[in-house]
Amino acid sequence: MTFYEAQQQLQKALTDLYDDREAANIADWVMEHVTGLRKIDRIMHKQSALAPEMADRLQEYTRQLLTHKPVQYVLHEAWFCGMPFYVDENVLIPRPETEELVEWIVTEVGRGRAEVGSKKYEERNTATSESSYFVPPTSYFRILDIGTGSGCIPVSLKKKLPQAEVYACDVSEGALAVASRNAAVQQTPVNISQVDFLDAGSWSSLPEVDIIVSNPPYIPQSDKSTMFQNVLAHEPHLALFVPDNDALVFYDAIARFAQSNLSSNGCVFVEIHEDLGQKTKELFESKGFYAEIKKDFQGKDRMVKAVPGSKF
């Protein structure tokens, strides 16, 4: 079987599960993993024979894909902020909306509008307006990611903001192993610890920080009926779902933690359920924060930024 024949065979098999475009994209991704060759190189060698070990690997990948297992779990790879991350069924597959959360933080830090880090004020030129102020490369501040999963958020933030000291926590041992692996592969020092964040007694093990970020579980149990079966069958429910009668339980805990562990000029950034933006905003405001909702690229309420005390 040639490279071309193998890809066409896989793509045809996947059209029973996906539309033509997605089937083609998945087949291309899988063939790159199987052969180690980029698309342009495979086109140039499309009549080359698939080696027996490659054929065996392709057969196994195909078998898993036809059970509706997401390609990211089959290949143990997901791309986020331009970097490959190892993923398995201990963690959620990183999504584009969460990339927007990371970029919002980076943008706000760059503008100096997140008000992060006391040393920033020591170094700040008083003649520079806040709106045009940029955090100096030497500025020191701390970031904490709550419910880190694969570690895609803290690793990406450390890459983009190398001057930050980054912390991450999760309750799942399996998730922490994945996050640690990704931090090591990307050579990004991240302080990773196991914390049951809904247990306030565990907060003493976490430092005071200048930025809190989280993409916590936020999907009500009742939403299961509207979700894709491949998500329900493979992605960890611990990282997805919250009780219908307490859908904001993690945001409540984050707000209370921020009251004691966020620096006075710090900022909270969270990803949210598209239908719960206003309620999440009001929750932070009830805890003494000023909160702002930001929409994602699809025009849905997807993120909230909260600052202690007064409007930014």
Coordinates of all heavy atoms in Angstrom, one line a residue, residues 184-242:
A184 N 7.9 19.8 31.3 CA 9.3 19.3 31.1 C 9.6 19.4 29.6 O 10.7 19.8 29.2 CB 9.5 17.9 31.6
V185 N 8.7 18.9 28.7 CA 9.0 18.8 27.3 C 9.2 20.2 26.7 O 10.1 20.5 25.9 CB 7.9 18.1 26.6 CG1 8.0 18.3 25.1 CG2 7.9 16.6 26.9
Q186 N 8.4 21.2 27.2 CA 8.4 22.5 26.7 C 9.5 23.4 27.4 O 9.7 24.5 27.1 CB 7.1 23.2 26.8 CG 6.0 22.6 25.9 CD 6.3 22.6 24.4 OE1 7.1 23.5 24.0 NE2 5.7 21.7 23.7
Q187 N 10.2 22.8 28.4 CA 11.2 23.4 29.1 C 10.7 24.7 29.8 O 11.4 25.8 29.7 CB 12.4 23.7 28.2 CG 13.0 22.4 27.7 CD 14.3 22.6 26.8 OE1 14.4 23.6 26.1 NE2 15.2 21.7 26.9
T188 N 9.6 24.6 30.4 CA 9.0 25.8 31.1 C 8.8 25.4 32.6 O 8.0 24.6 33.0 CB 7.6 26.1 30.5 OG1 6.8 24.9 30.4 CG2 7.7 26.7 29.1
P189 N 9.6 26.0 33.4 CA 9.5 25.8 34.9 C 8.1 26.2 35.4 O 7.7 27.4 35.4 CB 10.6 26.6 35.5 CG 11.5 27.0 34.4 CD 10.6 27.0 33.1
V190 N 7.3 25.2 35.9 CA 6.0 25.5 36.5 C 6.0 24.7 37.8 O 6.3 23.5 37.9 CB 4.9 25.0 35.6 CG1 3.5 25.2 36.2 CG2 4.9 25.8 34.2
N191 N 5.6 25.4 38.9 CA 5.4 24.8 40.2 C 4.1 24.1 40.2 O 3.0 24.8 40.3 CB 5.5 25.9 41.3 CG 6.8 26.6 41.2 OD1 7.9 26.1 41.6 ND2 6.8 27.9 40.7
I192 N 4.1 22.8 40.2 CA 2.8 22.0 40.1 C 2.6 21.3 41.4 O 3.5 20.6 42.0 CB 2.9 21.0 38.9 CG1 3.1 21.8 37.6 CG2 1.7 20.1 38.9 CD1 3.4 20.9 36.4
S193 N 1.3 21.3 41.9 CA 1.0 20.7 43.1 C -0.4 20.1 43.1 O -1.3 20.6 42.4 CB 1.1 21.6 44.3 OG 0.2 22.8 44.2
Q194 N -0.7 19.1 43.9 CA -2.0 18.5 44.0 C -2.8 19.2 45.1 O -2.4 19.2 46.3 CB -1.9 17.0 44.3 CG -3.2 16.3 44.3 CD -3.1 14.8 44.5 OE1 -2.1 14.3 45.0 NE2 -4.1 14.0 44.0
V195 N -3.9 19.7 44.7 CA -4.8 20.5 45.6 C -6.2 20.2 45.3 O -6.6 20.3 44.1 CB -4.5 22.0 45.5 CG1 -5.5 22.8 46.4 CG2 -3.1 22.3 45.9
D196 N -7.0 19.9 46.3 CA -8.5 19.8 46.1 C -9.0 21.2 46.3 O -9.2 21.6 47.5 CB -9.1 18.8 47.1 CG -10.6 18.7 46.9 OD1 -11.2 19.4 46.1 OD2 -11.2 17.9 47.7
F197 N -9.2 21.9 45.3 CA -9.4 23.4 45.4 C -10.8 23.7 46.1 O -10.9 24.7 46.7 CB -9.4 24.1 44.1 CG -9.3 25.6 44.2 CD1 -8.1 26.2 44.6 CD2 -10.4 26.4 44.0 CE1 -8.0 27.5 44.8 CE2 -10.3 27.8 44.2 CZ -9.1 28.3 44.5
L198 N -11.7 22.8 46.1 CA -13.0 23.0 46.7 C -12.9 22.8 48.2 O -13.8 23.1 49.0 CB -14.1 22.1 46.2 CG -14.5 22.4 44.7 CD1 -15.6 21.4 44.3 CD2 -14.8 23.8 44.5
D199 N -11.7 22.3 48.7 CA -11.5 22.2 50.1 C -10.6 23.4 50.5 O -9.4 23.5 50.3 CB -10.7 20.9 50.4 CG -10.3 20.8 51.9 OD1 -10.7 21.6 52.7 OD2 -9.4 19.9 52.2
A200 N -11.3 24.4 51.2 CA -10.6 25.7 51.5 C -9.4 25.4 52.5 O -8.5 26.2 52.5 CB -11.6 26.6 52.2
G201 N -9.4 24.3 53.2 CA -8.3 24.0 54.1 C -7.0 23.7 53.3 O -5.9 23.8 53.9
S202 N -7.1 23.4 52.0 CA -5.9 23.2 51.2 C -5.3 24.4 50.7 O -4.2 24.4 50.1 CB -6.3 22.2 50.1 OG -7.1 22.9 49.1
W203 N -6.0 25.6 50.8 CA -5.4 26.8 50.2 C -4.1 27.3 50.8 O -3.4 28.0 50.2 CB -6.5 27.9 50.3 CG -7.7 27.6 49.5 CD1 -7.9 26.6 48.6 CD2 -9.0 28.3 49.5 NE1 -9.2 26.6 48.1 CE2 -9.9 27.7 48.6 CE3 -9.4 29.5 50.3 CZ2 -11.2 28.2 48.4 CZ3 -10.7 29.9 50.1 CH2 -11.6 29.3 49.2
S204 N -3.9 26.9 52.0 CA -2.7 27.3 52.7 C -1.4 26.9 52.0 O -0.3 27.4 52.2 CB -2.7 26.9 54.2 OG -2.7 25.4 54.2
S205 N -1.5 25.8 51.2 CA -0.4 25.3 50.4 C -0.1 26.1 49.2 O 0.9 25.9 48.5 CB -0.6 23.9 50.1 OG -1.6 23.7 49.1
L206 N -1.0 27.1 48.9 CA -0.8 27.9 47.6 C -0.3 29.3 48.0 O -0.6 29.8 49.1 CB -2.1 28.0 46.9 CG -2.7 26.6 46.4 CD1 -4.1 26.8 45.9 CD2 -1.8 26.1 45.3
P207 N 0.5 29.9 47.1 CA 1.1 31.2 47.4 C 0.1 32.3 47.2 O -0.9 32.2 46.5 CB 2.3 31.3 46.5 CG 1.8 30.5 45.3 CD 1.0 29.4 45.8
E208 N 0.5 33.5 47.7 CA -0.2 34.7 47.2 C 0.3 35.0 45.8 O 1.5 34.9 45.5 CB 0.1 35.9 48.1 CG -0.5 37.2 47.7 CD -0.3 38.4 48.6 OE1 -0.4 38.2 49.8 OE2 0.1 39.5 48.1
V209 N -0.6 35.4 44.9 CA -0.2 35.6 43.5 C -0.8 36.9 43.0 O -1.7 37.5 43.6 CB -0.7 34.4 42.6 CG1 0.0 33.1 43.0 CG2 -2.3 34.2 42.7
D210 N -0.4 37.3 41.8 CA -0.8 38.5 41.2 C -1.9 38.2 40.1 O -2.6 39.1 39.8 CB 0.4 39.2 40.6 CG 1.4 39.5 41.6 OD1 1.2 40.3 42.6 OD2 2.5 38.9 41.5
I211 N -1.8 37.1 39.5 CA -2.8 36.7 38.5 C -3.3 35.3 38.9 O -2.5 34.3 39.1 CB -2.3 36.7 37.1 CG1 -1.9 38.1 36.6 CG2 -3.3 36.1 36.1 CD1 -1.3 38.2 35.3
I212 N -4.6 35.1 38.9 CA -5.3 33.8 39.0 C -6.0 33.5 37.7 O -6.7 34.4 37.2 CB -6.3 33.8 40.2 CG1 -5.6 34.0 41.5 CG2 -7.1 32.5 40.2 CD1 -6.6 34.2 42.7
V213 N -5.7 32.4 37.2 CA -6.4 32.0 35.9 C -7.0 30.6 36.1 O -6.4 29.7 36.9 CB -5.4 32.0 34.7 CG1 -4.2 31.1 35.0 CG2 -6.1 31.6 33.4
S214 N -8.1 30.3 35.5 CA -8.8 29.0 35.7 C -9.7 28.8 34.5 O -10.5 29.7 34.1 CB -9.5 28.9 37.0 OG -10.0 27.6 37.2
N215 N -9.7 27.5 34.1 CA -10.8 27.0 33.2 C -11.4 25.8 33.9 O -11.1 24.7 33.7 CB -10.2 26.6 31.8 CG -11.2 25.9 30.9 OD1 -12.4 26.2 31.1 ND2 -10.8 25.1 30.0
P216 N -12.2 26.1 34.9 CA -12.7 25.1 35.8 C -13.8 24.3 35.2 O -14.4 24.7 34.2 CB -13.1 25.9 37.0 CG -13.7 27.1 36.4 CD -12.8 27.4 35.3
P217 N -14.2 23.2 35.9 CA -15.5 22.6 35.4 C -16.7 23.5 35.5 O -16.8 24.2 36.6 CB -15.6 21.4 36.5 CG -14.3 21.2 37.0 CD -13.6 22.5 37.0
Y218 N -17.5 23.6 34.5 CA -18.6 24.6 34.5 C -19.8 24.1 33.8 O -20.8 24.8 33.7 CB -18.2 25.9 34.0 CG -17.6 26.0 32.6 CD1 -18.4 25.7 31.5 CD2 -16.3 26.4 32.3 CE1 -17.9 25.8 30.2 CE2 -15.8 26.5 31.1 CZ -16.6 26.2 30.0 OH -16.1 26.3 28.7
I219 N -19.8 22.8 33.3 CA -21.0 22.3 32.6 C -22.0 21.7 33.5 O -21.6 20.7 34.2 CB -20.5 21.4 31.5 CG1 -19.5 22.0 30.5 CG2 -21.8 20.8 30.7 CD1 -19.0 21.1 29.5
P220 N -23.2 22.2 33.6 CA -24.2 21.5 34.5 C -24.4 20.1 34.0 O -24.4 19.8 32.8 CB -25.4 22.4 34.3 CG -24.9 23.7 33.9 CD -23.7 23.4 33.0
Q221 N -24.7 19.2 35.0 CA -25.0 17.8 34.6 C -26.1 17.7 33.6 O -26.0 16.8 32.7 CB -25.3 17.0 35.9 CG -24.2 16.9 36.9 CD -23.3 15.7 36.5 OE1 -23.6 14.9 35.7 NE2 -22.1 15.7 37.2
S222 N -27.1 18.6 33.7 CA -28.2 18.5 32.8 C -27.8 18.7 31.3 O -28.6 18.4 30.4 CB -29.3 19.4 33.2 OG -28.8 20.8 33.2
D223 N -26.7 19.3 31.1 CA -26.2 19.6 29.7 C -25.7 18.4 29.0 O -25.4 18.4 27.8 CB -25.1 20.7 29.7 CG -25.7 22.1 29.8 OD1 -26.9 22.2 30.1 OD2 -24.9 23.0 29.7
K224 N -25.5 17.2 29.7 CA -25.0 16.0 29.1 C -25.7 15.6 27.8 O -25.1 15.2 26.8 CB -24.9 14.9 30.1 CG -23.9 15.0 31.1 CD -23.9 13.7 32.0 CE -22.8 13.8 33.0 NZ -22.8 12.6 33.9
S225 N -27.0 15.8 27.9 CA -27.9 15.3 26.8 C -27.6 16.1 25.5 O -28.0 15.6 24.4 CB -29.3 15.4 27.1 OG -29.7 16.8 27.4
T226 N -27.0 17.2 25.5 CA -26.7 18.1 24.4 C -25.3 17.9 23.8 O -24.9 18.5 22.8 CB -27.0 19.5 24.7 OG1 -26.0 20.0 25.6 CG2 -28.4 19.8 25.2
M227 N -24.5 17.1 24.5 CA -23.1 17.0 24.2 C -22.8 15.8 23.2 O -23.5 14.8 23.2 CB -22.2 16.9 25.5 CG -22.4 18.1 26.3 SD -21.5 18.0 27.9 CE -19.8 17.9 27.3
F228 N -21.6 15.9 22.5 CA -21.2 14.9 21.6 C -20.8 13.6 22.4 O -20.2 13.7 23.5 CB -20.0 15.3 20.8 CG -20.4 16.4 19.8 CD1 -19.8 17.6 19.8 CD2 -21.2 16.1 18.7 CE1 -20.1 18.6 18.9 CE2 -21.6 17.1 17.8 CZ -21.0 18.3 17.9
Q229 N -21.2 12.5 21.9 CA -20.9 11.2 22.6 C -19.4 11.0 22.8 O -19.0 10.4 23.7 CB -21.6 10.0 21.9 CG -23.1 10.0 22.1 CD -23.4 9.9 23.6 OE1 -22.9 9.0 24.3 NE2 -24.3 10.7 24.1
N230 N -18.6 11.4 21.8 CA -17.1 11.2 21.9 C -16.5 12.0 23.1 O -15.6 11.5 23.7 CB -16.4 11.5 20.6 CG -16.5 12.9 20.2 OD1 -17.4 13.6 20.6 ND2 -15.6 13.3 19.4
V231 N -17.1 13.1 23.4 CA -16.7 13.9 24.6 C -17.1 13.1 25.8 O -16.3 12.9 26.8 CB -17.3 15.3 24.6 CG1 -17.0 16.0 25.9 CG2 -16.8 16.1 23.4
L232 N -18.4 12.7 25.9 CA -18.9 12.1 27.1 C -18.1 10.7 27.4 O -17.9 10.4 28.5 CB -20.4 11.8 27.0 CG -21.3 13.0 26.9 CD1 -22.7 12.6 26.7 CD2 -21.2 13.8 28.3
A233 N -17.8 10.0 26.3 CA -17.2 8.7 26.5 C -15.7 8.8 26.8 O -15.2 7.8 27.4 CB -17.4 7.9 25.2
H234 N -15.0 9.9 26.5 CA -13.6 9.9 26.6 C -13.0 11.0 27.5 O -11.9 10.8 28.1 CB -12.9 9.9 25.2 CG -13.2 8.7 24.4 ND1 -12.6 7.5 24.5 CD2 -14.1 8.5 23.4 CE1 -13.1 6.6 23.7 NE2 -14.0 7.2 22.9
E235 N -13.6 12.1 27.5 CA -13.0 13.2 28.3 C -13.4 13.1 29.8 O -14.5 12.7 30.1 CB -13.4 14.6 27.7 CG -12.9 14.7 26.3 CD -12.7 16.2 25.8 OE1 -12.1 16.9 26.6 OE2 -13.1 16.5 24.7
P236 N -12.5 13.5 30.7 CA -12.8 13.2 32.1 C -13.9 14.1 32.7 O -13.9 15.3 32.6 CB -11.4 13.6 32.8 CG -10.8 14.6 31.8 CD -11.2 14.1 30.4
H237 N -14.9 13.4 33.2 CA -16.1 14.1 33.7 C -15.7 15.0 34.9 O -16.4 16.0 35.1 CB -17.2 13.1 34.1 CG -17.8 12.5 32.9 ND1 -19.1 11.9 32.9 CD2 -17.4 12.3 31.6 CE1 -19.4 11.4 31.7 NE2 -18.4 11.6 30.9
L238 N -14.7 14.6 35.7 CA -14.3 15.4 36.8 C -13.9 16.8 36.4 O -14.1 17.8 37.1 CB -13.1 14.7 37.4 CG -12.4 15.4 38.7 CD1 -13.4 15.4 39.8 CD2 -11.1 14.7 39.0
A239 N -13.4 17.0 35.2 CA -13.0 18.3 34.7 C -14.0 19.0 33.9 O -13.8 20.1 33.5 CB -11.7 18.1 33.8
L240 N -15.2 18.3 33.7 CA -16.2 18.9 32.9 C -17.4 19.4 33.7 O -17.9 20.5 33.5 CB -16.7 17.9 31.8 CG -15.8 17.6 30.6 CD1 -16.4 16.4 29.9 CD2 -15.7 18.8 29.7
F241 N -17.9 18.6 34.6 CA -19.3 18.8 35.1 C -19.3 19.3 36.5 O -18.5 19.0 37.3 CB -20.1 17.5 35.0 CG -20.3 17.0 33.6 CD1 -19.6 15.9 33.1 CD2 -21.1 17.7 32.7 CE1 -19.7 15.5 31.8 CE2 -21.3 17.3 31.4 CZ -20.6 16.2 30.9
V242 N -20.4 20.0 36.8 CA -20.7 20.5 38.1 C -22.2 20.2 38.4 O -23.0 20.0 37.4 CB -20.5 22.0 38.2 CG1 -19.0 22.3 38.3 CG2 -21.1 22.8 37.1

